[in-house]
Amino acid sequence: MATTKAKAATAAKKTSVKPVIQTPDAAAPWLATRKPEFLTDPNSPFADKYSVDKERELLADFIATNPNDERHPLYDRYIELVDREDQLEKLRSEYESTLGADAVADNAETFGMRSLGRLVDDEADQLEIHTLEAYRMFLGRRREPGTEHAPIIGGKRIGSVLRNLWLMTGKDNPFADWALVRHEHSMKEVQARLKREIEAAQSALLDQQKRGLHLSIVRSAEPQKLTLGFRSPYGYAVCQAINDFDFFIRLMKTLERKDLRSDDQVRKSIHELTRLIRRVWTDTARFERWLSQDEVKDLARSDFIEGAAEAAANRVRFATEVFGPVPSQIYTCAIQPTHSRRHRRVSAEDRLLLTRIGAQLAQAEAAADAEGQQEAARCSTQEGAAA
């Protein structure tokens, strides 16, 4: 009997239907967990590298046509974009409110950064001058009334000129960049010339010292100290040049007084260097004078874009007629001045635009160079035939 019951229980187990436990995928495929589809960017602020910019570009047509169509296959993707943009705005607001401080910083420390005062000088900057030549170089000279003598630009004036050009770089003016780059390059040549002259003079004095004759360098019995108030880095560069020029004059006067150079040699050296410095400053002042004109004072790199407004095209035409085409490497910022107020970030689109316009300028430069070489060759041929 017991055996019969056991067989019946075994048969029941074999014939009974087991309940089916469905997984979410089997019961409702649309409930299955799927990896969301979206474009990524390694610089994304989100942990999953979600790219707001790329997604908005991808969904541009959908957003422009009917973003409220819930049946559209891109609708969920659009909702995700809206949510991510809200999150990004909150992240940016938090970043700005804390000035980008690390998360471990508290509110009091962040507020302290906002209250931090600007940098100031403990003492007034001064330039000590010993020679009349250097003092005149600093002050310059106005046109004498009743004469036709041209005015002479001085260090104080050129400091103001350079500051104006420096401020123009904040408006993204490529011609201001060009003016500053030219000035820096020319002044490096001046400084190199001063350095050679100073080293040659010091070598002559050292040679006498080695032989037992110790000669002192002349100096003013009452040197004048000028208080400096320049508001740009270029003003202080001018003061460095004048300081070197003053020391150069002292050395020349020493060599003349101690019979190591003739009067004519000293006079010639001083005259050549004086003219060289003033020629550089005059050229720089010419740029600032024309770029300050109302017709061109708002010039910017964006004015070079094809299809720009008529006023922008007129500014480019005006500057080009005065100075010639801006060099392509200046326009693309491949070559920049040492100091600039152009601190805006350049987007990828702007960078492509700069590169494209820079390539056009480079082609024009190459064509002009080729034409100049051909003209030079023709002139050389004609001269040879005439000879």
Side-chain angles (χ1 to χ4, degrees):
M1 185 69 178
T3 303
T4 303
K5 288 182 179 181
K7 291 180 178 180
T10 303
K13 288 181 181 180
K14 292 180 179 181
T15 58
S16 62
V17 179
K18 295 182 180 180
V20 178
I21 302 177
Q22 294 181 328
T23 63
D25 289 349
W30 60 86
L31 294 178
T33 302
R34 293 180 298 175
K35 184 177 180 179
E37 296 181 0
F38 54 80
L39 300 175
T40 60
D41 188 331
N43 296 322
S44 170
F46 300 106
D48 56 5
K49 303 304 180 183
Y50 182 96
S51 174
V52 170
D53 293 335
K54 292 181 180 179
E55 284 291 305
R56 175 160 285 279
E57 182 179 356
L58 176 69
L59 299 171
D61 293 338
F62 171 70
I63 296 173
T65 54
N66 188 11
N68 297 320
D69 184 2
E70 299 182 4
R71 294 174 297 177
H72 197 285
L74 293 177
Y75 180 76
D76 290 341
R77 198 160 179 167
Y78 168 66
I79 295 300
E80 177 69 17
L81 173 64
V82 173
D83 180 58
R84 295 294 185 124
E85 287 181 332
D86 290 340
Q87 294 180 41
L88 182 59
E89 185 62 30
K90 291 178 181 178
L91 290 174
R92 287 173 174 169
S93 298
E94 180 184 1
Y95 184 87
E96 292 176 0
S97 64
T98 60
L99 298 178
D102 195 287
V104 298
D106 56 35
N107 292 335
E109 292 168 333
T110 303
F111 180 77
M113 184 183 292
R114 293 184 182 277
S115 303
L116 191 65
R118 66 184 182 87
L119 296 177
V120 297
D121 295 316
D122 288 338
E123 299 178 357
D125 297 318
Q126 292 184 327
L127 171 63
E128 185 176 86
I129 295 181
H130 290 260
T131 65
L132 288 173
E133 292 84 352
Y135 211 122
R136 175 59 72 185
M137 182 68 71
F138 180 81
L139 294 180
R141 187 177 65 194
R142 291 178 295 170
R143 185 190 301 276
E144 184 179 352
T147 68
E148 297 182 356
H149 296 299
I152 296 176
I153 189 169
K156 197 163 182 69
R157 169 63 179 156
I158 197 62
S160 177
V161 165
L162 290 167
R163 179 176 182 272
N164 290 339
L165 291 170
W166 178 62
L167 293 175
M168 289 178 192
T169 63
K171 296 181 179 180
D172 201 23
N173 187 327
F175 282 89
D177 286 349
W178 188 17
L180 291 176
V181 169
R182 285 168 56 96
H183 177 84
E184 291 176 9
H185 177 75
S186 298
M187 287 307 298
K188 285 180 180 179
E189 293 181 349
V190 171
Q191 294 284 8
R193 173 72 180 275
L194 277 170
K195 181 180 179 181
R196 291 194 300 269
E197 294 282 356
I198 289 173
E199 289 178 348
Q202 289 178 323
S203 177
L205 294 174
L206 181 60
D207 184 58
Q208 293 297 319
Q209 181 177 336
K210 290 179 179 179
R211 300 179 183 184
L213 180 59
H214 296 263
L215 302 174
S216 62
I217 300 173
V218 297
R219 64 189 310 276
S220 173
E222 297 181 6
Q224 296 300 302
K225 292 185 178 181
L226 302 176
T227 300
L228 308 178
F230 292 110
R231 291 179 290 173
S232 82
Y234 288 102
Y236 289 93
V238 171
C239 289
Q240 293 173 26
I242 292 177
N243 188 45
D244 290 343
F245 181 72
D246 186 48
F247 186 58
F248 158 75
I249 297 294
R250 291 172 58 195
L251 285 171
M252 293 299 103
K253 299 289 186 180
T254 299
L255 297 181
E256 180 184 21
R257 180 175 296 186
K258 309 300 169 70
D259 193 31
L260 296 177
R261 284 193 186 177
S262 68
D263 296 349
D264 288 340
Q265 288 176 317
V266 169
R267 192 179 301 111
K268 181 180 178 182
S269 295
I270 294 176
H271 178 72
E272 289 179 353
L273 259 168
T274 301
R275 286 178 60 86
L276 178 60
I277 295 173
R278 287 174 176 167
R279 184 167 63 248
V280 174
W281 290 358
T282 300
D283 181 67
T284 303
R286 172 178 171 269
F287 265 87
E288 187 266 346
R289 183 174 65 256
W290 282 104
L291 291 178
S292 299
Q293 299 293 319
D294 292 338
E295 295 87 347
V296 74
K297 66 180 181 180
D298 294 324
L299 179 68
R301 280 178 171 83
S302 58
D303 292 344
F304 289 75
I305 300 174
E306 295 178 3
E310 182 180 357
N314 289 337
R315 287 193 289 268
V316 173
R317 188 179 305 110
F318 182 95
T320 303
E321 289 176 354
V322 174
F323 304 110
V326 63
S328 58
Q329 289 187 308
I330 295 292
Y331 182 84
T332 59
C333 300
I335 298 177
Q336 301 184 61
T338 304
H339 305 286
S340 173
R341 292 179 62 86
R342 183 179 181 270
H343 298 309
R344 72 179 184 87
R345 290 184 178 181
V346 180
S347 65
E349 182 180 355
D350 290 341
R351 191 175 293 107
L352 288 174
L353 184 62
L354 289 176
T355 302
R356 180 168 60 82
I357 297 177
Q360 295 174 357
L361 293 171
Q363 291 177 356
E365 291 171 6
D369 290 342
E371 183 179 353
Q373 291 175 1
Q374 292 176 359
E375 182 63 25
R378 284 196 298 269
C379 293
S380 178
T381 302
Q382 292 174 358
E383 291 176 358

